[in-house]
Amino acid sequence: MDKKRVAIQGIKASFHEEAAFKFFGEDIETIECNSFKQTCEALKAKKADYVVMAIENSIAGSLLPNYALLRDYRYSIIGEVYLRIQLHLLALPGVKFEQIKNVESHPIAIRQCIDFFDEYPYLNVKESTDTAACAKRIRDEQLTDTVAIANQLAARTYDLEILERRIESNKKNYTRFLILTDHKETDIPNANKASLSFQTTNEVGSLANVLNIFAGHQVNLTKIQSMPVLGRRNEYNFYVDIEWEDASLYQQAISRVLRHTVNFTLMGEYLKNERV
């Protein structure tokens, strides 16, 4: 049986590959891409079967450019993954902390470790495009004065040792990833979460009416994000995530919401993933 081909932003052992492993298992073919747009293009060109895309972080917030990609490519959302972001200091085997002069990582990862760097102000911090790429460079170039900030998967993949564990400032740091596909057969048995997009009229209370319909049918709103409609002043697309326990009440709510919205799109129904 052919392996599932999963497009990720970054290289092997990045957090996106870790999220892919959590959803699909490790017996997959990872398609490395330099950008989120490239992951969508890989799916469009049939070079991948799925895309794993970060959509929000508990510290950094929503990744707004990725909402634009969801709008432009209109792929189906078939699942989600919450990944705890744990950041470690990785070095070549045998390297001592006293030898370190340089630290490399993605700028967001660096910012998430600010308390650690306050303790060691003499370290030269360098920004890079990908956490895993920094780990790979240390392995490939055998750098003994440089460490990377990356995950445990990167340490395992590139044969590095963890000098310092859990150096992130906030220990409750999560990123939510979406699983996208262009397959038409996307029915998920017992789905209990959905992602929607729609516009409302400019009438007073129009958005409130939609939200009240969900509340009245015991459908829980877990996320709402607005994005301007291209070329239209004061008009917005709303991206909404909802959860339910009673599928019939959910279906009734959707039927009513359709009457109060414009350009309604059901982006996907799937199983919610609990944080761990």
Side-chain angles (χ1 to χ4, degrees):
M1 183 177 177
D2 291 338
K3 292 183 177 181
K4 293 181 174 70
R5 300 171 301 165
V6 183
I8 63 167
Q9 188 273 324
I11 69 169
K12 292 183 184 300
S14 66
F15 283 106
H16 275 80
E17 185 177 57
E18 187 176 349
F21 285 168
K22 185 174 180 181
F23 189 85
F24 293 105
E26 297 194 13
D27 190 24
I28 61 174
E29 179 185 349
T30 302
I31 309 299
E32 300 175 342
C33 300
N34 292 327
S35 68
F36 289 113
K37 183 176 177 63
Q38 278 192 16
T39 64
C40 293
E41 285 294 316
L43 183 55
K44 183 179 179 180
K46 307 298 183 185
K47 296 178 180 177
D49 305 306
Y50 303 92
V51 167
V52 174
M53 178 184 288
I55 199 65
E56 62 182 297
N57 176 264
S58 58
I59 297 174
S62 297
L63 281 71
L64 296 183
N66 288 358
Y67 276 97
L69 291 174
L70 292 178
R71 176 197 66 209
D72 294 343
Y73 285 89
R74 296 183 174 275
Y75 293 140
S76 297
I77 301 170
I78 62 161
E80 65 176 357
V81 172
Y82 279 98
L83 194 65
R84 187 192 297 269
I85 304 301
Q86 298 181 343
L87 298 169
H88 311 297
L89 212 60
L90 310 185
L92 286 174
V95 168
K96 305 299 183 186
F97 192 88
E98 299 73 33
Q99 296 174 252
I100 300 171
K101 297 178 182 178
N102 306 304
V103 181
E104 295 186 3
S105 195
H106 189 280
I108 292 179
I110 290 169
R111 288 199 296 272
Q112 291 173 349
C113 301
I114 192 67
D115 293 341
F116 176 82
F117 292 118
D118 285 345
E119 292 184 41
Y120 304 98
Y122 61 87
L123 292 175
N124 180 32
V125 181
K126 299 180 180 179
E127 295 184 353
S128 182
T129 56
D130 185 52
T131 55
C134 297
K136 183 176 184 296
R137 193 171 88 86
I138 290 172
R139 192 276 311 272
D140 290 349
E141 300 181 21
Q142 291 293 292
L143 302 176
T144 56
D145 63 349
T146 302
V147 291
I149 300 172
N151 57 13
Q152 190 166 334
L153 179 60
R156 191 177 81 208
T157 302
Y158 300 113
D159 300 317
L160 301 179
E161 289 184 349
I162 298 178
L163 282 186
E164 295 279 343
R165 291 184 178 273
R166 302 297 305 277
I167 66 170
E168 70 274 10
S169 299
N170 189 317
K171 306 304 181 187
K172 296 182 178 180
N173 183 8
Y174 291 85
T175 295
R176 178 181 176 230
F177 300 81
L178 298 178
I179 312 300
L180 311 176
T181 188
D182 61 352
H183 296 173
K184 301 305 179 185
E185 303 80 21
T186 56
D187 286 343
I188 308 298
N190 302 315
N192 55 7
K193 188 168 184 177
S195 295
L196 322 169
S197 70
F198 55 82
Q199 299 165 33
T200 60
T201 66
N202 287 326
E203 296 174 6
V204 173
S206 58
L207 178 59
N209 289 336
V210 171
L211 302 185
N212 285 333
I213 290 170
F214 287 134
H217 288 76
Q218 300 176 38
V219 174
N220 184 33
L221 181 78
T222 60
K223 168 86 175 179
I224 183 167
Q225 180 69 53
S226 63
M227 291 281 288
V229 177
L230 293 177
R232 296 186 182 180
R233 185 180 177 188
N234 297 328
E235 292 189 29
Y236 294 87
N237 277 312
F238 295 100
Y239 295 85
V240 170
D241 293 330
I242 54 176
E243 299 176 357
W244 62 89
E245 294 185 2
D246 188 322
S248 63
L249 286 175
Y250 158 71
Q251 293 293 347
Q252 292 173 32
I254 293 297
S255 295
R256 290 195 60 191
V257 164
L258 283 169
R259 305 172 201 160
H260 295 267
T261 58
V262 180
N263 294 331
F264 179 95
T265 302
L266 178 58
M267 302 166 68
E269 296 174 334
Y270 48 94
L271 292 170
K272 66 179 180 179
N273 176 243
E274 302 291 349
R275 298 187 187 186
V276 293

